[in-house]
Amino acid sequence: MKEKRGLPPATDGGNHWEKYEKQKKHRYSRRRPGRQIRQLQKERHRKNRLFVLPAWIALLLGSLISAYFASPLSRIETIRLVAPAKQTELRQHVPFQTGDTLVVFMQRKGQTVKKLQRADPQVDHVQVDRRNWNHIQIKVSLFPIVAMVNHHQRPFPVYSNGKIGDAPISKQAQQPQLRLDGLQNPGQIAELIGAIQHLNPKLQRQIVAVKNRATRDNPQRVELLMDDGNEVVLGINQIKEKMPYYPDLKTNLKQKKQD
């Protein structure tokens, strides 16, 4: 009769369970070749996404920028110049025009103030604004005319900044009250206007004319003709210091005349 063979006795002391645990650890181990390959693939996909995403964003931005520059929104549609009675003269000195790109506008915006002030001595302040994206407004404020001086027998305006206008005053324009007679030196005129501007407005209005009374010893000597008929002779450099006392001096003169 044949002997029945069963499982051999466990002579290894129950190592089957230990082998199972080792196989399980090996199956989920990071060092296992299959698992390492999957990790490498995931890392490669992650790097590809990090590279492709910025490239797509850059491509999209490039397309949007190209579409913008091809559209009418990228160009100046209108230019509005706000300047009292000088729109035509100043308009030709604006360094950009309708149809130019907004890039050109931004590059030349800073030049606008210098160009307009160089073009006309009456220009005081220039403000350049962009409205409704591609509509430009240039607002110009002017120095007021405070006097007139005769040059080649024609009256030229003198502005509050002491500069003389390039064109004579037209007959239709309102004539300023203050007249400068015999004064031709632009530096001397600017100093005179600056000294008068330091006086209070009421006293300024009382001076109706300034005549040149220069001598060899005192080239700054002038004569101020007041609206009350009085004449004050002094140096240009003395106007700020001495003319504020004129109202008191005028009162004393009147009292002496009455006495």
Side-chain angles (χ1 to χ4, degrees), residues 200-258:
N200 66 71
K202 183 178 179 180
L203 185 56
Q204 289 182 36
R205 290 191 294 269
Q206 293 177 3
I207 304 174
V208 295
V210 180
K211 297 181 179 180
N212 185 15
R213 293 290 183 259
T215 63
R216 180 177 298 179
D217 297 332
N218 187 4
Q220 286 198 332
R221 188 169 179 264
V222 293
E223 177 185 335
L224 306 184
L225 179 62
M226 311 303 291
D227 61 355
D228 56 7
N230 290 326
E231 298 174 356
V232 181
V233 179
L234 72 174
I236 294 176
N237 54 0
Q238 297 176 317
I239 292 177
K240 290 190 294 186
E241 178 185 355
K242 293 187 175 182
M243 282 305 294
Y245 300 103
Y246 176 76
D248 297 333
L249 178 63
K250 182 176 65 173
T251 303
N252 294 334
L253 289 175
K254 285 184 177 180
Q255 290 178 352
K256 288 182 180 180
K257 288 181 180 180
Q258 292 175 356

Side-chain angles (χ1 to χ4, degrees), residues 9 28 42 56 60 68 79 84 98 167 174 178 187 204 241-242:
Y28 295 99
K42 290 180 180 180
W56 275 104
L60 179 60
Y68 166 71
I79 299 176
T98 55
Q174 183 179 1
L178 180 60
Q204 289 182 36
E241 178 185 355
K242 293 187 175 182

Side-chain angles (χ1 to χ4, degrees), residues 187-199:
Q188 193 177 47
I189 292 175
E191 185 179 359
L192 172 65
I193 295 300
I196 294 177
Q197 291 291 309
H198 275 83
L199 304 177

Side-chain angles (χ1 to χ4, degrees), residues 44-62:
R44 189 179 297 113
H45 291 325
R46 187 181 68 84
K47 290 182 178 180
N48 289 338
R49 287 195 299 269
L50 293 176
F51 173 77
V52 171
L53 183 60
W56 275 104
I57 293 176
L59 182 62
L60 179 60
L61 289 176

